């Protein structure tokens, strides 16, 4: 299957902190990996670097062998590479005043010409794809509602439908269940796991709660103050090991 994401010696400092320190990480195609760590440990920063939203100070990131960024320089074709990367946010990032359908269709904009995306004209075939994606995540009955009127769980499902329409091969999900009730959280994690197993998407998902990492992700990468302090089977993350890795911060997990 090969390597989906390769990160070598990635470091990023903000004015008052070292957000990432010499992070090295390889993720194989088809893996589902949890990224855990206390608040401020660098989870969002790492995911944003992989997606090419932020340039590091040093280090290199490739996705399916193509450079996203190298030593602080973003690759010239990062926009095209981003077409293959779905990003899921804690706060869903839908346009609230637009319909769920239109929000899902925006997953296609990466592939269309800029002027066409400006007009947001979509073909019947594209609308059919969006509807199928909404069926896949179970909210087709809400297709014509304004996104803002949906519950958090439904909005996150719409965000996953957008990734399906985008045909993302890599999905980066940044605390996708942190704002959801437990039932919606399970639902969204089940859908992510389905996208991983049935569609072969490579998934990296940051999670605040270790229990979800244990349940859904065979492998966990643990960050602490910008460094990877554990990378291995999720099943080995006992409360004792978490205590050793995080000290008092372990309570947050
Ligand atoms: P996490 O997602 O694990 O909670 P973050 O990646 O958001 O952690 O943050 C890691 C560290 O980097 C934190 O100390 C945070 O304050 C800092 N940080 C993140 N983004 C910025 C930014 N744009 N400007 C300054 N500091 C930032
Ligand atoms: Mg975060």
């Amino acid at each position: 299957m090969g390597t989906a994401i390769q990160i070598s010696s990635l470091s990023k400092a903000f004015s008052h902190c070292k957000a990432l320190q010499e992070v090295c990480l390889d993720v194989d195609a088809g893996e589902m990996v949890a990224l855990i760590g206390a608040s401020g440990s660098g989870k969002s920063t790492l995911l944003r670097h992989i997606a090419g939203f932020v340039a590091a100070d040093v280090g290199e990131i490739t996705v399916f062998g193509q450079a996203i960024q190298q030593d602080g320089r973003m690759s010239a074709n990062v926009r095209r590479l981003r077409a293959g990367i779905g990003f899921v946010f804690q706060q869903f990032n839908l346009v609230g005043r637009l319909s769920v359908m239109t929000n899902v269709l925006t997953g296609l904009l990466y592939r269309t010409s800029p002027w066409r995306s400006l007009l947001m004209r979509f073909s019947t075939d594209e609308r059919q794809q969006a509807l199928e994606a909404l069926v896949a995540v179970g909210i087709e009955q809400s297709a014509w509602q304004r996104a803002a009127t949906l519950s958090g769980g439904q909005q996150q499902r719409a965000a996953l439908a957008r990734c399906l329409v985008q045909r993302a091969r890599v999905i980066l999900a940044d605390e996708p269940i942190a704002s959801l009730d437990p039932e919606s959280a399970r639902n969204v994690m089940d859908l992510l796991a389905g996208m991983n197993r049935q569609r072969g998407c490579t998934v990296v998902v940051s999670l605040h709660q270790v229990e979800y990492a244990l349940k859904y992700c065979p492998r966990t990468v643990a960050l602490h103050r910008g460094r990877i302090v554990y990378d291995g089977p999720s099943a080995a993350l006992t409360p004792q090991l978490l205590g050793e890795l995080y000290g008092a911060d372990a309570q947050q997990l």
Side-chain angles (χ1 to χ4, degrees), residues 108-204:
L108 290 164
L109 296 183
Y110 283 102
R111 298 179 192 285
T112 56
S113 66
W115 70 265
R116 202 172 147 231
S117 59
L118 214 62
L119 294 172
M120 292 225 277
R121 307 262 306 253
F122 299 100
S123 68
T124 311
D125 179 54
E126 287 169 336
R127 285 171 191 282
Q128 185 60 33
Q129 284 175 44
L131 193 58
E132 280 165 22
L134 287 169
V135 170
V137 301
I139 54 164
E140 71 276 16
Q141 72 286 355
S142 306
W144 302 107
Q145 265 173 255
R146 286 193 309 123
T149 65
L150 266 56
S151 71
Q154 289 171 322
Q155 289 196 45
Q156 200 59 299
R157 289 202 245 173
L160 292 178
R162 187 172 53 189
C163 290
L164 287 177
V165 161
Q166 190 186 337
R167 290 202 210 105
R169 294 169 76 197
V170 170
I171 295 175
L172 306 174
D174 192 5
E175 302 215 28
I177 58 171
S179 306
L180 304 181
D181 61 88
E183 194 192 334
S184 301
R186 277 195 301 277
N187 204 291
V188 162
M189 287 305 292
D190 284 337
L191 285 169
L192 268 176
M195 289 161 83
N196 169 251
R197 275 190 237 118
Q198 279 125 43
R199 297 172 195 255
C201 295
T202 305
V203 177
V204 181

Side-chain angles (χ1 to χ4, degrees), residues 50-54 68 74 77-86 110 166 168:
I50 301 171
F53 296 151
V54 194
I68 296 281
M74 213 58 88
N77 56 358
V78 70
R79 188 176 183 276
R80 188 175 59 73
L81 296 176
R82 263 191 219 134
I85 302 175
Y110 283 102
Q166 190 186 337

Side-chain angles (χ1 to χ4, degrees), residues 9 14-15 26 29-30 38-39 51 70 98 128 135 184 189 204 206 240:
S9 299
F14 293 110
S15 49
D26 282 5
S39 174
Q70 198 166 16
L98 297 180
Q128 185 60 33
V135 170
S184 301
M189 287 305 292
V204 181
S206 73
Q240 190 195 344

Side-chain angles (χ1 to χ4, degrees), residues 182-233:
E183 194 192 334
S184 301
R186 277 195 301 277
N187 204 291
V188 162
M189 287 305 292
D190 284 337
L191 285 169
L192 268 176
M195 289 161 83
N196 169 251
R197 275 190 237 118
Q198 279 125 43
R199 297 172 195 255
C201 295
T202 305
V203 177
V204 181
V205 51
S206 73
L207 296 165
H208 220 80
Q209 304 104 311
V210 177
E211 57 192 275
Y212 285 98
L214 282 171
K215 180 160 180 222
Y216 288 96
C217 305
R219 174 182 173 195
T220 293
V221 171
L223 280 172
H224 186 45
R225 298 184 184 150
R227 286 187 192 278
I228 292 181
V229 291
Y230 178 83
D231 181 358

Side-chain angles (χ1 to χ4, degrees), residues 11 53 68-69 89-90 92 167 198 208 212 234 238 244 253:
S11 295
F53 296 151
I68 296 281
Q69 55 174 291
F89 300 84
Q90 179 179 341
F92 329 124
R167 290 202 210 105
Q198 279 125 43
H208 220 80
Y212 285 98
S234 304
T238 58
E244 283 168 27
L253 301 163

